[in-house]
Amino acid sequence: STSGGGAVSVTVKGESELKALKISEDAMKSGDVEMLQDLVLTAVNDALRTARETHAAEMEKVTGGFNVPGLF
């Protein structure tokens, strides 16, 4: 997931493991720490949300839409 037009890029594994964080050189040069912090938070939260949604969709395929106790 990215934020700030690609200024910050985040990759997650599974639902909760941050695997990579890339910050563009231009974002670092801006000197606006608060903006950079907001971009990182946005990218991480978007990546985690996407991972959860992907996981839920894959589990629905496996369970056929039935709620299987212990899997969720």
Side-chain angles (χ1 to χ4, degrees):
S1 186
T2 63
S3 67
V8 174
S9 176
V10 173
T11 303
V12 296
K13 178 181 177 184
E15 288 187 70
S16 61
E17 185 179 347
L18 184 63
K19 294 297 286 182
L21 170 65
K22 294 181 183 179
I23 301 172
S24 74
E25 192 171 318
D26 290 339
M28 294 293 292
K29 288 179 183 177
S30 76
D32 189 343
V33 174
E34 288 182 13
M35 178 198 66
L36 186 55
Q37 290 169 338
D38 288 343
L39 291 174
V40 170
L41 285 174
T42 299
V44 169
N45 286 328
D46 286 348
L48 292 174
R49 182 175 37 259
T50 299
R52 283 191 303 272
E53 290 170 357
T54 301
H55 178 259
E58 291 300 316
M59 288 306 295
E60 188 170 326
K61 288 179 189 176
V62 170
T63 64
F66 293 104
N67 185 12
V68 178
L71 287 182
F72 299 100

